[in-house]
Amino acid sequence: MRLLVLGGTVFLSREIAAQALRRGHEVVCACRGESGGVPEGATLLRWDRGQSAPDELTTGSFDAVVDVSRVPSHVRRGLDAVSDAHWVFVSTISVYADDADPGGPGVGVLHEPSADDVDLRVSPAAYGPMKVACEELVLSRAASATVVRPGLIVGPGDPSGRFTYWADRFTRDGEVLAPGDPAAVVQVIDVRDLAAWIVTLAEDRRVGVLDGVGQPMSFADLLRACAPSASLTWVDQEFLGDHGVEPWTGPDSLPVWLPRPAYDGMLAHSPQPALDAGLVLRPVGETCRDTQAWLRADPAARITGITAEREQELIGAWGRRGGVS
Ligand SMILES: NC(=O)c1ccc[n+]([C@@H]2O[C@H](COP(=O)([O-])OP(=O)(O)OC[C@H]3O[C@@H](n4cnc5c(N)ncnc54)[C@H](OP(=O)(O)O)[C@@H]3O)[C@@H](O)[C@H]2O)c1
Protein backbone atom coordinates (compact mmCIF):
# COMPACT_ATOMS: atom_id res chain seq x y z
CA MET A 1 0.00 0.00 0.00
CA ARG A 2 1.14 3.54 -0.69
CA LEU A 3 0.17 5.43 2.45
CA LEU A 4 0.02 9.19 2.94
CA VAL A 5 0.31 10.26 6.57
CA LEU A 6 -0.72 13.87 7.08
CA GLY A 7 1.61 14.38 10.02
CA GLY A 8 4.27 11.83 10.90
CA THR A 9 6.67 13.88 13.03
CA VAL A 10 5.20 13.36 16.50
CA PHE A 11 3.65 10.69 18.78
CA LEU A 12 0.63 8.97 17.16
CA SER A 13 1.06 9.97 13.52
CA ARG A 14 4.79 9.16 13.72
CA GLU A 15 4.02 5.75 15.23
CA ILE A 16 1.48 5.07 12.47
CA ALA A 17 4.11 5.86 9.83
CA ALA A 18 6.70 3.68 11.62
CA GLN A 19 4.37 0.70 11.94
CA ALA A 20 3.21 0.98 8.30
CA LEU A 21 6.86 0.91 7.20
CA ARG A 22 7.49 -2.18 9.33
CA ARG A 23 4.62 -3.90 7.51
CA GLY A 24 6.31 -3.17 4.20
CA HIS A 25 4.16 -0.26 3.06
CA GLU A 26 5.48 2.78 1.21
CA VAL A 27 4.96 5.84 3.43
CA VAL A 28 4.92 9.54 2.59
CA CYS A 29 4.56 11.98 5.50
CA ALA A 30 3.25 15.41 4.50
CA CYS A 31 3.74 18.14 7.10
CA ARG A 32 5.97 21.12 7.84
CA GLY A 33 8.63 18.95 9.48
CA GLU A 34 8.75 21.27 12.50
CA SER A 35 7.71 18.95 15.31
CA GLY A 36 10.40 16.33 14.77
CA GLY A 37 11.72 13.93 12.16
CA VAL A 38 9.76 11.33 10.21
CA PRO A 39 10.64 7.65 10.81
CA GLU A 40 13.57 6.26 8.85
CA GLY A 41 12.33 4.94 5.51
CA ALA A 42 9.45 7.42 5.19
CA THR A 43 9.56 10.25 2.65
CA LEU A 44 8.98 13.73 4.05
CA LEU A 45 6.94 15.96 1.77
CA ARG A 46 7.06 19.45 3.22
CA TRP A 47 3.65 21.09 3.32
CA ASP A 48 2.27 23.80 5.55
CA ARG A 49 -1.44 23.05 5.41
CA GLY A 50 -2.23 26.74 5.71
CA GLN A 51 -1.07 26.86 2.07
CA SER A 52 -2.33 25.01 -1.00
CA ALA A 53 -1.02 21.48 -1.47
CA PRO A 54 2.17 20.77 -3.41
CA ASP A 55 1.84 19.01 -6.79
CA GLU A 56 3.54 15.86 -5.45
CA LEU A 57 0.50 15.37 -3.23
CA THR A 58 -2.15 15.71 -5.95
CA THR A 59 -0.28 13.41 -8.31
CA GLY A 60 0.85 10.99 -5.59
CA SER A 61 -1.54 8.05 -6.30
CA PHE A 62 -2.09 7.04 -2.69
CA ASP A 63 -4.11 4.01 -1.62
CA ALA A 64 -4.86 5.41 1.81
CA VAL A 65 -4.51 8.61 3.81
CA VAL A 66 -4.26 9.00 7.60
CA ASP A 67 -5.03 12.47 8.91
CA VAL A 68 -4.73 13.68 12.53
CA SER A 69 -5.63 17.34 11.98
CA ARG A 70 -7.81 19.43 14.25
CA VAL A 71 -8.25 22.26 11.70
CA PRO A 72 -11.19 22.12 9.25
CA SER A 73 -9.48 24.18 6.51
CA HIS A 74 -6.46 21.84 6.70
CA VAL A 75 -8.67 18.80 6.24
CA ARG A 76 -10.50 20.53 3.37
CA ARG A 77 -7.18 21.22 1.63
CA GLY A 78 -6.09 17.63 2.12
CA LEU A 79 -9.31 16.38 0.56
CA ASP A 80 -8.96 18.85 -2.32
CA ALA A 81 -5.61 17.23 -3.08
CA VAL A 82 -6.35 13.55 -2.36
CA SER A 83 -10.00 12.49 -2.24
CA ASP A 84 -9.76 9.32 -4.35
CA ALA A 85 -8.06 7.29 -1.58
CA HIS A 86 -9.41 5.60 1.55
CA TRP A 87 -9.13 8.04 4.46
CA VAL A 88 -8.65 7.15 8.09
CA PHE A 89 -9.42 10.26 10.06
CA VAL A 90 -8.16 10.39 13.65
CA SER A 91 -10.81 12.24 15.61
CA THR A 92 -11.39 12.15 19.39
CA ILE A 93 -13.94 11.16 22.04
CA SER A 94 -14.15 14.93 22.66
CA VAL A 95 -16.65 15.06 19.77
CA TYR A 96 -19.26 13.77 22.24
CA ALA A 97 -21.24 16.56 23.90
CA ASP A 98 -22.02 14.77 27.18
CA ASP A 99 -18.98 13.67 29.18
CA ALA A 100 -21.20 11.90 31.70
CA ASP A 101 -22.44 9.48 29.03
CA PRO A 102 -20.24 6.64 27.69
CA GLY A 103 -22.24 6.97 24.44
CA GLY A 104 -20.27 5.79 21.44
CA PRO A 105 -20.82 6.11 17.68
CA GLY A 106 -24.47 6.41 16.73
CA VAL A 107 -25.48 6.67 20.39
CA GLY A 108 -23.62 9.59 21.97
CA VAL A 109 -24.84 13.06 21.01
CA LEU A 110 -22.17 15.06 19.17
CA HIS A 111 -21.24 18.72 19.51
CA GLU A 112 -22.51 21.01 16.80
CA PRO A 113 -19.80 21.20 14.15
CA SER A 114 -17.57 24.28 14.03
CA ALA A 115 -16.36 24.57 10.44
CA ASP A 116 -14.24 27.67 11.12
CA ASP A 117 -10.60 27.47 12.16
CA VAL A 118 -10.33 28.52 15.80
CA ASP A 119 -7.08 29.01 17.71
CA LEU A 120 -7.33 26.19 20.26
CA ARG A 121 -4.81 27.89 22.55
CA VAL A 122 -7.37 30.71 22.94
CA SER A 123 -10.56 28.59 22.81
CA PRO A 124 -9.75 24.98 23.78
CA ALA A 125 -13.48 24.17 23.98
CA ALA A 126 -13.63 24.41 20.17
CA TYR A 127 -11.57 21.20 19.87
CA GLY A 128 -14.54 18.79 19.84
CA PRO A 129 -16.75 20.93 17.55
CA MET A 130 -13.86 21.39 15.08
CA LYS A 131 -13.20 17.66 15.04
CA VAL A 132 -16.92 17.08 14.32
CA ALA A 133 -16.60 19.41 11.30
CA CYS A 134 -13.43 17.58 10.18
CA GLU A 135 -15.21 14.21 10.47
CA GLU A 136 -18.10 15.50 8.35
CA LEU A 137 -15.72 16.71 5.65
CA VAL A 138 -13.92 13.37 5.47
CA LEU A 139 -17.10 11.29 5.55
CA SER A 140 -18.73 13.34 2.79
CA ARG A 141 -15.76 13.79 0.46
CA ALA A 142 -13.31 10.90 0.69
CA ALA A 143 -13.75 7.90 -1.64
CA SER A 144 -14.28 5.81 1.51
CA ALA A 145 -13.47 6.53 5.13
CA THR A 146 -12.96 5.27 8.66
CA VAL A 147 -13.34 7.74 11.50
CA VAL A 148 -11.51 6.70 14.68
CA ARG A 149 -12.34 8.49 17.92
CA PRO A 150 -9.54 7.79 20.40
CA GLY A 151 -9.78 8.16 24.13
CA LEU A 152 -6.73 9.05 26.21
CA ILE A 153 -3.63 7.99 24.22
CA VAL A 154 -0.63 7.04 26.36
CA GLY A 155 2.74 5.36 26.22
CA PRO A 156 6.29 6.07 25.11
CA GLY A 157 6.64 9.44 23.38
CA ASP A 158 3.45 10.94 24.87
CA PRO A 159 3.89 14.73 24.62
CA SER A 160 1.05 15.44 27.07
CA GLY A 161 2.78 14.09 30.19
CA ARG A 162 -0.49 12.93 31.79
CA PHE A 163 -0.23 9.14 32.14
CA THR A 164 3.54 9.73 32.26
CA TYR A 165 3.01 11.40 35.66
CA TRP A 166 1.82 8.06 37.08
CA ALA A 167 4.53 6.03 35.35
CA ASP A 168 7.10 8.43 36.80
CA ARG A 169 5.49 8.53 40.24
CA PHE A 170 5.88 4.79 40.65
CA THR A 171 9.61 4.99 39.99
CA ARG A 172 9.85 6.71 43.42
CA ASP A 173 9.13 5.25 46.85
CA GLY A 174 6.80 6.69 49.47
CA GLU A 175 3.11 7.08 50.05
CA VAL A 176 1.30 7.87 46.79
CA LEU A 177 -1.51 10.44 46.67
CA ALA A 178 -4.33 8.81 44.69
CA PRO A 179 -7.18 11.03 43.47
CA GLY A 180 -10.91 10.73 43.95
CA ASP A 181 -12.92 7.53 43.99
CA PRO A 182 -10.82 4.34 43.58
CA ALA A 183 -13.77 2.76 41.73
CA ALA A 184 -14.12 5.60 39.18
CA VAL A 185 -13.84 4.15 35.67
CA VAL A 186 -10.98 5.20 33.38
CA GLN A 187 -9.45 3.86 30.18
CA VAL A 188 -6.24 4.48 28.29
CA ILE A 189 -4.97 3.23 24.96
CA ASP A 190 -1.33 2.55 24.18
CA VAL A 191 -0.18 4.62 21.21
CA ARG A 192 1.42 1.53 19.65
CA ASP A 193 -1.83 -0.48 19.80
CA LEU A 194 -3.83 2.41 18.37
CA ALA A 195 -1.29 2.99 15.58
CA ALA A 196 -1.19 -0.69 14.62
CA TRP A 197 -4.96 -0.77 14.42
CA ILE A 198 -5.13 2.39 12.31
CA VAL A 199 -2.73 0.81 9.79
CA THR A 200 -4.99 -2.27 9.72
CA LEU A 201 -8.06 -0.08 9.12
CA ALA A 202 -6.26 1.57 6.19
CA GLU A 203 -5.21 -1.82 4.78
CA ASP A 204 -8.77 -3.16 5.11
CA ARG A 205 -10.33 0.07 3.77
CA ARG A 206 -12.83 -0.40 6.55
CA VAL A 207 -15.81 1.97 6.37
CA GLY A 208 -17.43 3.37 9.53
CA VAL A 209 -17.01 5.28 12.76
CA LEU A 210 -15.35 3.62 15.77
CA ASP A 211 -14.16 4.66 19.21
CA GLY A 212 -10.46 3.85 19.65
CA VAL A 213 -10.29 3.07 23.35
CA GLY A 214 -8.71 0.67 25.83
CA GLN A 215 -10.41 -1.56 28.40
CA PRO A 216 -12.40 0.39 30.99
CA MET A 217 -11.04 -0.20 34.50
CA SER A 218 -11.19 1.40 37.91
CA PHE A 219 -8.64 4.10 38.75
CA ALA A 220 -7.41 1.74 41.47
CA ASP A 221 -6.75 -1.02 38.90
CA LEU A 222 -4.99 1.45 36.61
CA LEU A 223 -2.59 2.41 39.40
CA ARG A 224 -2.21 -1.20 40.57
CA ALA A 225 -1.30 -2.21 37.01
CA CYS A 226 1.62 0.22 37.26
CA ALA A 227 2.66 -0.68 40.81
CA PRO A 228 0.90 -3.65 42.43
CA SER A 229 2.47 -3.14 45.85
CA ALA A 230 2.55 0.67 46.12
CA SER A 231 0.92 2.20 49.18
CA LEU A 232 -1.88 4.53 48.04
CA THR A 233 -3.64 7.27 50.01
CA TRP A 234 -7.00 7.90 48.34
CA VAL A 235 -8.14 11.49 48.80
CA ASP A 236 -11.65 12.58 47.86
CA GLN A 237 -12.37 15.11 45.15
CA GLU A 238 -13.83 17.73 47.50
CA PHE A 239 -10.57 17.85 49.45
CA LEU A 240 -8.54 18.06 46.24
CA GLY A 241 -10.74 20.87 44.92
CA ASP A 242 -10.56 22.75 48.23
CA HIS A 243 -6.75 22.53 48.10
CA GLY A 244 -6.43 23.82 44.53
CA VAL A 245 -5.55 20.51 42.87
CA GLU A 246 -6.70 20.52 39.26
CA PRO A 247 -8.08 17.53 37.39
CA TRP A 248 -6.87 16.05 34.10
CA THR A 249 -3.71 18.00 33.21
CA GLY A 250 -1.40 20.88 34.08
CA PRO A 251 1.26 21.70 36.69
CA ASP A 252 -1.30 21.88 39.53
CA SER A 253 -3.07 18.68 38.55
CA LEU A 254 -3.29 15.06 39.45
CA PRO A 255 -3.41 13.99 35.82
CA VAL A 256 -6.03 11.68 34.31
CA TRP A 257 -8.28 12.21 37.36
CA LEU A 258 -11.66 13.74 36.34
CA PRO A 259 -14.45 15.32 38.40
CA ARG A 260 -17.37 12.96 39.01
CA PRO A 261 -20.16 12.44 38.09
CA ALA A 262 -19.76 15.09 35.35
CA TYR A 263 -17.09 12.99 33.56
CA ASP A 264 -18.37 9.50 34.41
CA GLY A 265 -18.71 8.58 30.73
CA MET A 266 -15.65 10.18 29.19
CA LEU A 267 -13.25 7.31 29.87
CA ALA A 268 -15.84 4.55 29.92
CA HIS A 269 -16.51 3.87 26.23
CA SER A 270 -16.89 0.32 24.98
CA PRO A 271 -13.81 -1.02 23.18
CA GLN A 272 -15.78 -4.01 21.82
CA PRO A 273 -16.57 -2.63 18.32
CA ALA A 274 -12.89 -1.73 17.91
CA LEU A 275 -11.77 -5.15 19.17
CA ASP A 276 -14.17 -6.74 16.66
CA ALA A 277 -12.52 -4.59 13.98
CA GLY A 278 -9.03 -5.84 14.77
CA LEU A 279 -7.77 -3.71 17.67
CA VAL A 280 -5.38 -5.63 19.93
CA LEU A 281 -4.72 -4.20 23.39
CA ARG A 282 -1.67 -4.84 25.52
CA PRO A 283 -1.89 -4.85 29.34
CA VAL A 284 -1.63 -1.43 30.97
CA GLY A 285 1.25 -2.68 33.13
CA GLU A 286 3.33 -3.17 29.99
CA THR A 287 2.49 0.35 28.81
CA CYS A 288 3.54 1.70 32.20
CA ARG A 289 6.88 -0.19 32.21
CA ASP A 290 7.65 0.92 28.65
CA THR A 291 6.76 4.51 29.54
CA GLN A 292 9.18 4.30 32.47
CA ALA A 293 11.89 2.97 30.12
CA TRP A 294 11.24 5.89 27.76
CA LEU A 295 11.49 8.32 30.70
CA ARG A 296 14.88 6.88 31.65
CA ALA A 297 16.11 7.06 28.05
CA ASP A 298 14.85 10.52 27.11
CA PRO A 299 15.64 13.40 29.48
CA ALA A 300 13.32 15.64 27.43
CA ALA A 301 10.28 13.43 28.13
CA ARG A 302 7.47 15.60 29.47
CA ILE A 303 5.65 15.05 32.74
CA THR A 304 2.78 17.21 33.91
CA GLY A 305 1.27 17.31 37.41
CA ILE A 306 2.09 18.31 40.97
CA THR A 307 5.59 18.06 42.41
CA ALA A 308 6.72 15.40 44.89
CA GLU A 309 6.85 18.06 47.65
CA ARG A 310 3.30 19.18 46.98
CA GLU A 311 2.11 15.57 46.97
CA GLN A 312 3.57 14.96 50.44
CA GLU A 313 2.12 18.27 51.74
CA LEU A 314 -1.32 17.20 50.56
CA ILE A 315 -1.00 13.75 52.12
CA GLY A 316 -0.01 15.44 55.38
CA ALA A 317 -2.98 17.82 55.23
CA TRP A 318 -5.33 14.93 54.47
CA GLY A 319 -4.00 12.99 57.48
CA ARG A 320 -4.35 16.00 59.82
CA ARG A 321 -7.91 16.41 58.61
CA GLY A 322 -8.65 12.90 59.88
CA GLY A 323 -9.27 11.37 56.45
CA VAL A 324 -9.40 7.60 56.01
CA SER A 325 -7.12 6.18 53.29
N1 LIG B 1 -3.33 12.70 23.00
C1 LIG B 1 -4.52 12.19 23.28
O1 LIG B 1 -4.75 11.65 24.37
C2 LIG B 1 -5.60 12.22 22.22
C3 LIG B 1 -6.88 11.79 22.57
C4 LIG B 1 -7.85 11.74 21.58
C5 LIG B 1 -7.54 12.09 20.28
N2 LIG B 1 -6.30 12.55 19.98
C6 LIG B 1 -5.99 12.83 18.57
O2 LIG B 1 -4.90 12.01 18.22
C7 LIG B 1 -4.11 12.68 17.24
C8 LIG B 1 -2.70 12.81 17.77
O3 LIG B 1 -1.86 13.05 16.71
P1 LIG B 1 -0.29 13.19 16.89
O4 LIG B 1 0.14 12.46 18.10
O5 LIG B 1 0.33 12.85 15.61
O6 LIG B 1 -0.10 14.70 17.31
P2 LIG B 1 -0.61 16.04 16.67
O7 LIG B 1 -0.09 17.12 17.50
O8 LIG B 1 -2.04 15.99 16.42
O9 LIG B 1 0.21 15.95 15.27
C9 LIG B 1 0.32 16.95 14.52
C10 LIG B 1 1.00 16.54 13.22
O10 LIG B 1 0.45 17.40 12.28
C11 LIG B 1 1.49 18.17 11.71
N3 LIG B 1 1.07 19.56 11.56
C12 LIG B 1 0.71 20.44 12.52
N4 LIG B 1 0.45 21.63 11.98
C13 LIG B 1 0.64 21.51 10.65
C14 LIG B 1 0.54 22.40 9.55
N5 LIG B 1 0.18 23.70 9.70
N6 LIG B 1 0.81 21.93 8.32
C15 LIG B 1 1.20 20.65 8.14
N7 LIG B 1 1.31 19.75 9.14
C16 LIG B 1 1.04 20.19 10.39
C17 LIG B 1 2.68 18.09 12.66
O11 LIG B 1 3.87 18.15 11.89
P3 LIG B 1 4.81 19.44 11.84
O12 LIG B 1 4.59 20.23 13.10
O13 LIG B 1 6.17 18.83 11.77
O14 LIG B 1 4.39 20.17 10.63
C18 LIG B 1 2.50 16.70 13.28
O15 LIG B 1 3.17 15.70 12.54
C19 LIG B 1 -4.78 14.00 16.98
O16 LIG B 1 -5.70 13.84 15.94
C20 LIG B 1 -5.54 14.26 18.29
O17 LIG B 1 -6.62 15.11 18.07
C21 LIG B 1 -5.33 12.63 20.92
Side-chain angles (χ1 to χ4, degrees), residues 9 12-13 32-35 47 49 68 70 127 131 151 153:
T9 52
L12 176 64
S13 55
R32 298 164 305 181
E34 286 180 6
S35 301
W47 178 32
R49 297 175 74 177
V68 295
R70 299 160 174 78
Y127 174 53
K131 281 285 202 184
I153 309 170

Side-chain angles (χ1 to χ4, degrees), residues 1-3 26 56-64 81-82 84-85:
M1 162 173 81
R2 193 165 143 77
L3 177 68
E26 193 182 339
E56 297 95 309
L57 210 67
T58 25
T59 57
S61 303
F62 298 102
D63 299 298
V82 189
D84 56 351

Side-chain angles (χ1 to χ4, degrees), residues 72-97:
S73 74
H74 290 187
V75 174
R76 210 173 290 121
R77 261 181 223 111
L79 287 159
D80 288 344
V82 189
S83 63
D84 56 351
H86 179 81
W87 275 59
V88 181
F89 180 69
V90 180
S91 185
T92 169
I93 50 160
S94 298
V95 294
Y96 298 110

Side-chain angles (χ1 to χ4, degrees), residues 242-313:
D242 290 347
H243 286 75
V245 181
E246 298 286 340
W248 192 237
T249 190
D252 300 321
S253 74
L254 278 169
V256 185
W257 163 57
L258 288 166
R260 309 293 171 142
Y263 287 88
D264 271 352
M266 188 170 134
L267 299 178
H269 289 238
S270 171
Q272 198 53 52
L275 295 169
D276 293 343
L279 173 66
V280 178
L281 297 168
R282 75 192 67 209
V284 174
E286 184 180 325
T287 301
C288 190
R289 286 190 295 281
D290 292 348
T291 304
Q292 289 168 337
W294 166 61
L295 277 168
R296 283 194 296 276
D298 185 352
R302 178 168 179 245
I303 301 166
T304 192
I306 61 172
T307 62
E309 295 70 32
R310 173 103 166 103
E311 181 198 38
Q312 294 311 310
E313 271 170 32

Side-chain angles (χ1 to χ4, degrees), residues 31-302:
C31 60
R32 298 164 305 181
E34 286 180 6
S35 301
V38 299
E40 195 179 331
T43 302
L44 170 63
L45 178 57
R46 285 193 194 276
W47 178 32
D48 182 336
R49 297 175 74 177
Q51 314 293 322
S52 51
D55 290 344
E56 297 95 309
L57 210 67
T58 25
T59 57
S61 303
F62 298 102
D63 299 298
V65 178
V66 175
D67 191 6
V68 295
S69 181
R70 299 160 174 78
V71 185
S73 74
H74 290 187
V75 174
R76 210 173 290 121
R77 261 181 223 111
L79 287 159
D80 288 344
V82 189
S83 63
D84 56 351
H86 179 81
W87 275 59
V88 181
F89 180 69
V90 180
S91 185
T92 169
I93 50 160
S94 298
V95 294
Y96 298 110
D98 183 358
D99 291 316
D101 174 15
V107 181
V109 176
L110 302 185
H111 286 290
E112 286 299 313
S114 168
D116 296 329
D117 298 354
V118 175
D119 185 340
L120 291 173
R121 289 164 302 186
V122 178
S123 306
Y127 174 53
M130 282 164 75
K131 281 285 202 184
V132 175
C134 295
E135 287 187 1
E136 289 183 351
L137 284 165
V138 172
L139 288 169
S140 64
R141 292 191 50 196
S144 59
T146 329
V147 167
V148 174
R149 296 172 177 159
L152 182 61
I153 309 170
V154 303
D158 179 359
S160 82
R162 290 172 291 204
F163 178 77
T164 319
Y165 170 90
W166 294 105
D168 176 62
R169 177 62 193 87
F170 291 118
T171 63
R172 288 182 279 115
D173 293 334
E175 194 65 25
V176 175
L177 180 62
D181 179 357
V185 175
V186 290
Q187 65 194 157
V188 298
I189 185 163
D190 188 298
V191 63
R192 297 163 294 180
D193 298 340
L194 181 59
W197 181 53
I198 286 171
V199 176
T200 300
L201 294 169
E203 288 169 342
D204 294 352
R205 301 175 74 88
R206 192 177 188 100
V207 172
V209 181
L210 292 155
D211 288 339
V213 294
Q215 289 292 355
M217 61 181 67
S218 69
F219 214 119
D221 282 346
L222 180 81
L223 299 188
R224 295 259 173 247
C226 291
S229 55
S231 179
L232 308 175
T233 296
W234 289 95
V235 174
D236 67 41
Q237 67 177 14
E238 289 71 25
F239 175 91
L240 294 171
D242 290 347
H243 286 75
V245 181
E246 298 286 340
W248 192 237
T249 190
D252 300 321
S253 74
L254 278 169
V256 185
W257 163 57
L258 288 166
R260 309 293 171 142
Y263 287 88
D264 271 352
M266 188 170 134
L267 299 178
H269 289 238
S270 171
Q272 198 53 52
L275 295 169
D276 293 343
L279 173 66
V280 178
L281 297 168
R282 75 192 67 209
V284 174
E286 184 180 325
T287 301
C288 190
R289 286 190 295 281
D290 292 348
T291 304
Q292 289 168 337
W294 166 61
L295 277 168
R296 283 194 296 276
D298 185 352
R302 178 168 179 245

